Structures are given as structure tokens and as C-alpha cells.
Amino acid sequence: MKTVFRHTAIALGIALAAAGAQAQLLQKPALDAIAAEAVKTPATFAQFLQNAAKQDTRLAPAVQRYTQGEQLQGDDLANVARLLGLYTRLTQEHQVLSSITQMVALPTVRDPKVPPHESPAIIDFGRMVEKMAQDFGLQYRNVDNRIFEVTLPGKGTEEFGILTHADVVPVVPAEWVVDGQQLDPFKVTRVGDKLYGRGTIDDKGSIATVLYAMKAVKQSQLPLQRSIRLMIETTEETGGDAMKYYRDKTKLPDYNIVLDSKYPAVVAEKGTGAIKASFADVKTDPQQPAITAMAGAASANAIAQTATATIEAGNAAALAAVAEKLQAAKDGFVASNQQFGKFSVDLVSSANKIDIKVTGSSAHGSRPEEGVNPVPRLALLLQSALMPAQGQPLVQQNQYSEAVRYINGVFGMDYFGKGLNVAYADDFMGPLTISPNLIKPGNGQLEVTANARMPRGKSPEQLKAEVEKGIANWSAATKVPVKIDYSQGNWMARDPKGAWLSTLLNIFGDTTGLDAKPVPTAGSTTAKLMPNAINFGPAMPGKKYTAHNALEYKEVPDLQADMQMFTEMLVRIGNLQQMQ
């Protein structure tokens, strides 16, 4: 390296003499100034460093040491790593976007009929990662199509892990409409600064970004004291069985950074649960009105954008009476319930059926407060208009009418568990949330699955017992038979004091200028399956998290920040003397 960069060292001589003292860590104003001057970014990182040192002479000592191949330490190492992040952001955006587009085009949704490790989309994703690793000079290992590993070796025996996932949640294609334009969920569509597509923020954007960050570190020739092992999971959205398989075959790194939640650094996660209620199919008279279909979100861990129901009858007069009742109730129902979030109701009548659609606002299942769940609103409309407490119901009793009564009686439009008398909250992690999201017919029954997110304060066993008791009491009081299958994961709260946490917080705070402190998340990631795991991005604080949403998107400025911070993170964490 000394021979290659001798001209750079000479050019920096005057600046080095003027600098005097070691530079302090670059912060957002200085980084923005350097970026603004780089109208045409130099072809090489060495040239970029030379220009930065001319612009800010405090950088000259660190830049000269780098160009001469000397070992960097302290703020010198941090500043060069920070500038490498900025350089990566300025030079690799087009390539990262191209890779995200290719990744999103692979529909890595779990098919219940095909094991994920046999999924063509998952297999193709592994091949794409393998090709990128080979092109970038990185090591690749495919662990039976469960985990795809990419490694950047360091000098020492230690390593730290980076965890992401390639699988995505299902979509409802009809809901992917922006400004009247129908979008393909598996094709990246840029509208302004938003990149729409399933997986853009969860988690394919992170995969592409960190791979290019690893490439940048490799090409910079900055030494790493510990190796970096990227692990790409393939079943995170459906329980993480691929990671469990991997743990049985491979020793995990002692420290791990997960790119699947939010900034600045997540040290606590709620436990996710699924409360599945089953109602046996009931045969009805096809001539008389009955609810014959209902649908909500595409997966249990998402708040739906729309919820729909169909009422059918051979008796035209009886069906017309139902339509008239719904039409008369619709506007008043919407007006009286808007204080809990804006939504709309649409009714379409034809000769033999009525289609009802409630449109709310989609959200991640862990963040019901960021959306307006149309499922309980649909249930309340149907029950209040067609199934009065006093008088004759206008629809026949069947599994759908019983599911409607269950959703209203057990949950309602509250998502804190108040209807079951199980509400509680933790000062740091926030409240328990329970949202009915998925409605699924099949195998002689109708299933309604609610997504639960439990914070510290109760054990899974305690919450499960309380919920099951509450539902049993409701069932007995209403005489509605229901079968409950409830699985509840535990919460996680860690206290990862030491250099690695403070380094992540420093990177975020100095890069963005935002407050940097450890935070909790209502989400539940594979971090729970890893030792010493912290989530670092990719969602920015103060913004709606669009993962699992009907219109998932990643904002380009946030992607640029990821590119910058991930690159710096690899160098600095890779060279910490001690993690704790």
C-alpha cells in the first residue's frame, strides 16, 4: 500500500503539518459538508480521503497513516471508517438499488405445501447471494438452504455475526395501489423517494446494503481484528425454524447485530403470540341470507389494509332487506367510530350477494397503533346492523356469524386486551397488544387468529392462562362454542453494556444528528435465538414502520444512511479491543 499511495502522502504533507492535533470524530455537519463538496465523487477511496483531508485538515494525520499502510487506532480509525461509509453511500447507491430490485423479484413467501429449504425462490435467492459473494471476494456457505452465510475474514480468531432474513410475509395484491396506479408487490417501484415492494425494508434492503458494505471494507484493505459472519435466515417470518436448525449444526458468534428492527439500538423485544380461535362450519339454507366469506390480513402478524365480507342468498327480497339495512347503517357507523382512526365502508350489491369492504390503514402486527384495523370494524358493523341483541337477526347463524360475535366480544376496537381483562404495560417496553388480523376458512372450520405482543411483567404461561380463561368465560356467557389454540413466545430484555453498544449509538447519533439511546421494540426478531444480540436498524425513529404493510416501502434517504452506517459499523465493531 505504501508504494501505491506515496503520491497521496506527499500531497498531504502540508495539511498534516497544519493539523497539529488528532482529529475529533466527524459528526453530521462535517460529513454533510464533505458530501456536498463531492459533486463528482473520486474513482478511488484514497482520492476521496485526500480530498476530505484538504477540506478538513484535522483529518490529514489519519489519512496519511492509512495511505502509508500504518495501523489506525482510536478516532483515526473511526474517522476513516466513517469516511468509508460516506464514500460507499456516494458511490454504491445504484448498485444497491439494482440488487434490491433483483431480490424483491424473488417471491420468498412461505408456501405451506413446500418446505422453505425446497422453495425455488429461496434456492434462487441463495444463488444470487453466492454470486455476489464471489464477485465481492467474500466467502460463501450454504447451510442446506436454511441459512446463507457470507464471511469477511479478520486477522484474529474472534468473529461477530450480522443477522438478516430473506423470507417475506404474504401480500394482498389488490391493496398495492398508489395514486390510482396498481403496483406489483414483487417489483420495486420508485415513487418520489419511496421504494415500494415486499421486502424493501423487511429485510432485503438490509441484505443488499450490508453485502455492499462488506465489499467496501474488503476493497479498502482496512484490517479487521475479528471476522464478520453475515447470516441470512430463510424462515424468520414464520417462526425461525431455519435458525434453530442452523444452531444445531454451527456454533453461533458470541456477539451479533441484527438488521431487522429499528434504530438507534434495540435491547428489548416483546414476545409474539398467536391466539387461534376455531369455529366449526355450520350448514345454512342457501335461500336465506348468510355470511359466506370473510377475509382480513394476508398473515397474522400484519394489520390489514382492507377487510371484506360476502353475504349471499337465493331469496332476492331477503337479501335486499339486508342491503337496505347495511346501507342505512353505514354512514352513521363510520361517523360514530372515526375517533379511533379514519376508515371507510363500501357496499356492492348484485343479484345474489352483497360484498362489504372496510378500508383502514395497514401496519406491522406489532404496532397496531400505527394503523387502523379494518377487521374489528367490519365485525362491529355486521353485528350492529344485522345481528341485534334484541330482535330477529337478518343473517343465519354459522361459523362466520359466530366469528363476528367473537371478534366484537373478546377484542372490539381496543387492542390492549381490555376486553379480556388482561391489559398491562412495562415502563420501558410498553403495553400488551392483541389484534385480530387473520381470518382463514378450511378443513371444516373457520379460524380467526389474533397477534399478541407481550412485554415484560408476565410470563407466557401466565398470560396464556389469563387469555384462555377470559375467552372461556365469554364463550360460556354467549353460548358460542370456540376452540382455542394459543402459542405465546417470551419477551427479551438485555443489558449489553460496553463498547459495542456505545459504538453503535455513536455511529447512529453522529451520522443522523438524532438522539441516540437504547430502545425497545414491539417486534419480535430472531435476535431472541442468538447470544448477545442487538438490533441496529433499519427503521428510522419517528417514522411509520412499513414492514408487513399493504404498501411496504423503504425511503431512499434512509437507505443511504444505512449504507453509510453499516459500512462504518463493520470496521469499528470489527476492530474493537473488547466487545463488552
Side-chain angles (χ1 to χ4, degrees), residues 26-29 31-32 82 89 263-264 504-517 536 538-541 543 557-558 560-562 564-565 568:
L26 294 168
Q27 297 183 344
K28 189 177 189 306
L31 291 166
D32 289 346
R82 190 156 287 180
R89 181 192 112 193
Y263 294 111
L504 294 177
L505 295 175
N506 172 260
I507 292 169
F508 176 81
D510 284 0
T511 301
T512 65
L514 300 175
D515 189 27
K517 60 184 179 181
F536 186 61
M540 286 290 179
K543 294 185 177 182
D558 295 345
Q560 294 168 343
D562 291 344
Q564 185 170 332
M565 290 190 286
E568 179 183 347

Side-chain angles (χ1 to χ4, degrees), residues 360-374:
S361 178
S362 66
H364 193 282
S366 67
R367 304 184 187 188
E369 72 279 2
E370 293 185 352
V372 179
N373 194 343

